[in-house]
Amino acid sequence: MNTFVTFTILGLVLGSVYAIAASGLVLTYNTSGIFNFAHGAQAMLGAFIYWQLRYGWELPTVVALLISLVLVGPLMGLGLYVLIMKGLRDTAEVTKIVVTVSILLGMLSISHWFWHPETARTMQMFFGDQSKITVFGASIRYHELICILVAIAIAVGLRILFTRTRAGVAMRGVVDDPELLRLNGHNPERLAALSWAMGSTLAVLAGILITPISGGTLEANMLTLLVIDAFAAAMFGRLRSIPRTFVGAVVLGLAGTYVLAYFPTSWSWTSNFRVSLPMIALFVVLIVLPQDRLRGAVTRTRERYHVPSVRKAVVWGVALIVIVYLIRLLMVTSAVTTLTIGMTFAIIALSLTLLTGYAGELNLAPVSFGAIATIVAFHFGISGSGLAAHLNLWGIVVGVLVTAVIGGLVALPALRLRGLYLALATMAFGVFLSNMVLRDTTEHEMFGMKYSLFKDGNIALPPLKIGPLDLSNETVFLMTVTALFSVLGVGVIALRNSGYGRRLAAMKDSPAGSAMLGQSLVRLKLSVFMISSGIAGLGGILMSSAMGSVSGESFAIMVSLSLLMLTVVAGIGYVTGALFGGLMAGIGFAVIMVSFTNLASAQPELEGMWLLLDNIAAVSPALIGIGVGANPSGTVHSVIEGYRRLTDARPVLIGGAAVVLLTYVLALTGVLGNWWFASITIAVVFMLPVMGEMVMPRAVLTPEELAAKATVVPEDVGIDVPYSPEIRDEIDRELGIPQYQGGSPKELTAHV
């Protein structure tokens, strides 16, 4: 009986903290329509700030709490809404998700910047760990009692706010019809900002309360994921009902503690199962609870993508292979392996182009499917032993097929889900895989056979060898992966240009309209999920082989979120976006950060500056991701549109190509360093459209844009400014004179 009471109290305490965190999610979602994936990161950052105030600067507990909850929490929420969330109302669901994921990753980087992860930090319970009372023979600490009482107070307070006050009712109407709310005398933006301030404060409070309960150690990634467990409680209330959210949180807390109390100690997977329980509950809740009806209208967003023809795709695929080979000639062996890893990430990102860019379905755990394929290939696809061991074709084929089947099984119960619900379901699967499968290092026995899923916590996957093709050679490996990406990219574009691809696009624009035209949404979703999972699995096998040895951290959910974020930033509707997103996620920012670290070691007198740039580079991916709200179509789209305008400005294109070619020759001969070549090439690629506007404006700009640039002071015309047809037209517009279309001098006189 004492055991039951003890673990019941502990479950209620944990459920109370989940409830506090989940209520903040419900609050912000109901007023903005944005599910805040950064909620756990806000809780983490708030806990670190409280630690700095209370233990770092030794302020009194009450003062530290007041600053954290009255100042830091509300300002954090207000800043996020006013600066970022406010501009996301007319963007696609994937853009909203990516922006909040970017904030999550940015807050993690900021925590590592200011509080080094290798330095131990602990937080004690309020009134100390020994201050306790006895309830039914079990001890409950004051801190734990505070958690329960605060949770009850928040539940009652929010219930009264939403049902008994005009402000609360208005908050619930903000996301449904802000214009109608404005007609009734309310300011929707002010109400949404207020709710984000309140939600952020609840997140900070949850982070401060849960840290001492979970052991007291402050670790950024762990604390972020710990609060993310509250997602299941929020979904139990369908992001609307505060009472149901609190019930779900309590059930979740009790279930986790009862697993520890009553599962047999001989079960080696008990601890992993308890950690995975919230994600299992999240997946089950998403499947069981009824979903919203299909929308009949086409969704109008600001995202715009252009799908190239298959012929153009083939040309650019061949060009990519040639470019990568030319770049290889400048590289040392270690850099070749690094680029190879980046190309494998690009293959995984290609699965997102098909699934999200073309079909509109969301997968927040693409790298997790790569983990499945890696495990299968490791157990069934290695021939030989020792130094002669190599990966065979059978291992890759089986790994890809198994991953495609598992992708279908994961998607099958989730086929009725859309948008946010589907994103959360795939995230739950990714976290579950990390906690249950990738942590399974113990040896099992089945049917007389002994096996371990993730032996010793690491998997060493040798290179592929098929006849004369041996990927143990770094150059061969790089060119093979590049050629494979090109082939898959052309295949994905061909698929999009086919009837099947047009059905995917129709399903993305209007699921209800697609269903009314006789399309099977279940079949479409299942097939695209399986194809996408197979591509991700292939990329995962090649990534593991390129790395040589991988651990569970190589496939963590944060890796998947980073890859998704950077692919969306680059342009998730483009194969080129997958290329740039994969390269940046796999190697781009990591190489930059390592370079700054090496410079700091080599130049001690400038160490501070180089370390500052290193930290800025760590935060920069998140800052770029946050900016995707202003350009939801991605960077590749902007670049492509810029080059479309240079069609009639061939001298500019030829000049840019000449500069890149000359720089390459100088780098190849050793006159310039590789970093200079890379910097100049990137600058030319991105600045060429701008140079085209400056050098050949008439060939690049539209008449309206030329007129806008031709604004001059009338008194200067004919004196300091030459009298040109553009200026004449501008003056005519200002005076309201009909535009002169050209003709004889007599017609010109009549026009004047």
Side-chain angles (χ1 to χ4, degrees), residues 344-345 347-348 366-367 369-371 373-374 461 534-546 550 555:
T344 61
F345 269 88
I347 292 177
I348 300 176
V367 180
F369 290 98
T374 296
L461 201 63
I535 295 174
L538 176 60
I541 293 174
L542 295 172
M543 179 196 78
S544 302
S545 180
V550 291
F555 306 100

Side-chain angles (χ1 to χ4, degrees), residues 105 338-349 485 547 558-571 575-593 596 616-622 624-625 635-636 675 678 682 686:
L105 297 174
T338 303
L339 181 57
T340 303
I341 294 172
M343 290 301 302
T344 61
F345 269 88
I347 292 177
I348 300 176
F485 176 85
M547 290 181 174
M558 295 301 176
V559 179
S560 290
L561 295 179
S562 299
L563 178 62
L564 172 66
M565 178 196 74
L566 290 170
T567 304
V568 172
V569 168
V575 170
T576 317
L579 174 64
F580 289 136
L583 288 175
M584 295 309 296
I587 62 170
F589 291 101
V591 170
I592 294 173
M593 292 165 61
F596 285 136
I616 292 175
V619 179
S620 57
I624 295 172
T635 305
V636 170
W675 276 110
I682 293 173
F686 284 97

Side-chain angles (χ1 to χ4, degrees), residues 21-45:
S23 62
L25 276 171
V26 174
L27 193 61
T28 54
Y29 183 80
N30 272 290
T31 54
S32 64
I34 299 173
F35 188 88
N36 185 14
F37 280 86
H39 198 68
Q42 287 178 258
M44 174 274 301
L45 198 58

Side-chain angles (χ1 to χ4, degrees), residues 245-503:
T245 297
F246 272 73
V247 170
V250 171
V251 170
L252 193 63
L254 290 173
T257 56
Y258 287 158
V259 166
L260 284 180
Y262 297 110
F263 272 37
T265 56
S266 58
W267 292 358
S268 59
W269 48 270
T270 298
S271 178
N272 292 342
F273 179 77
R274 190 202 69 78
V275 176
S276 306
L277 190 59
M279 291 298 105
I280 297 173
L282 174 59
F283 195 85
V284 172
V285 166
L286 288 168
I287 300 303
V288 173
L289 289 183
Q291 305 299 316
D292 298 330
R293 295 180 179 180
L294 291 174
R295 292 171 294 178
V298 176
T299 303
R300 298 296 181 187
T301 62
R302 288 188 280 123
E303 288 79 0
R304 297 293 181 269
Y305 303 118
H306 298 290
V307 181
S309 65
V310 177
R311 179 178 298 178
K312 286 185 178 179
V314 171
V315 172
W316 282 109
V318 173
L320 175 64
I321 296 173
V322 173
I323 291 171
V324 171
Y325 180 76
L326 292 176
I327 293 175
R328 161 64 188 97
L329 299 179
L330 301 176
M331 291 181 164
V332 297
T333 301
S334 59
V336 173
T337 301
T338 303
L339 181 57
T340 303
I341 294 172
M343 290 301 302
T344 61
F345 269 88
I347 292 177
I348 300 176
L350 197 59
S351 69
L352 297 174
T353 298
L354 174 63
L355 183 66
T356 305
Y358 293 165
E361 303 299 324
L362 295 173
N363 178 11
L364 299 191
V367 180
S368 298
F369 290 98
I372 296 172
T374 296
I375 293 173
V376 173
F378 174 76
H379 287 286
F380 300 100
I382 296 180
S383 301
S385 59
L387 296 177
H390 64 272
L391 182 65
N392 55 48
L393 181 61
W394 170 252
I396 291 183
V397 172
V398 172
V400 170
L401 291 177
V402 170
T403 305
V405 171
I406 292 179
L409 294 176
V410 172
L412 193 59
L415 290 178
R416 54 197 285 273
L417 307 179
R418 295 178 306 281
L420 171 64
Y421 296 129
L422 184 57
L424 286 170
T426 55
M427 181 179 182
F429 168 75
V431 176
F432 167 79
L433 186 78
S434 296
N435 291 337
M436 279 294 293
V437 178
L438 304 186
R439 289 185 180 182
D440 186 10
T441 59
T442 58
E443 190 174 68
H444 306 281
E445 185 173 353
M446 181 180 293
F447 305 116
M449 298 177 58
K450 294 183 178 181
Y451 70 95
S452 176
L453 292 177
F454 217 77
K455 187 177 181 181
D456 300 327
N458 286 277
I459 285 182
L461 201 63
L464 173 70
K465 184 178 181 181
I466 308 174
L469 181 65
D470 188 356
L471 301 191
S472 59
N473 181 282
E474 292 81 4
T475 301
V476 174
F477 202 161
L478 172 62
M479 298 313 302
T480 301
V481 172
T482 304
L484 189 58
F485 176 85
S486 299
V487 171
L488 289 173
V490 172
V492 166
I493 291 174
L495 197 65
R496 173 59 183 84
N497 286 319
S498 66
Y500 176 79
R502 288 189 287 273
R503 290 194 293 273

